[in-house]
Amino acid sequence: MVVERFRRGAEPVYRRAADEGRLLPDGLEYVESWVDERLERCFQLMETDDPALFDEWIARWSDLTDFEVVPVLSSAEAAARALPE
């Protein structure tokens, strides 16, 4: 899960995305995203086998957005870890 905090509001981020796309490197896949009602933060679910690809992607957006990358599990995976057989 990626949490983005828009530095100068949502407009510059959405303008770049409209003009240039998501700018994802090969191997980093966008799944879904949600934005808070104040248009200050975006929560993006991403998938990759190579976490280093996040650095490449973040570099393309770091002038507009601050990032926090949080590795997450599905609820089923978390339950399996919490309650091993």
Side-chain angles (χ1 to χ4, degrees):
M1 175 72 67
V2 177
V3 181
E4 298 180 46
R5 287 174 179 79
F6 304 141
R7 290 181 178 188
R8 295 180 282 161
E11 188 273 333
V13 174
Y14 281 98
R15 183 172 308 282
R16 180 178 295 166
D19 292 345
E20 300 180 40
R22 293 188 183 278
L23 302 174
L24 295 169
D26 290 339
L28 181 59
E29 302 296 325
Y30 165 83
V31 177
E32 184 62 76
S33 62
W34 303 265
V35 178
D36 71 6
E37 291 182 349
R38 294 174 58 179
L39 302 178
E40 294 174 345
R41 294 176 300 170
C42 180
F43 304 86
Q44 293 197 56
L45 187 59
M46 314 284 278
E47 291 182 334
T48 187
D49 292 327
D50 182 2
L53 294 175
F54 282 107
D55 293 334
E56 184 178 337
W57 176 65
I58 287 170
R60 297 173 181 170
W61 290 94
S62 63
D63 60 319
L64 299 177
T65 307
D66 292 318
F67 291 86
E68 178 183 5
V69 178
V70 182
V72 296
L73 305 171
S74 69
S75 294
E77 291 169 321
R81 284 191 188 185
L83 302 171
E85 293 184 28

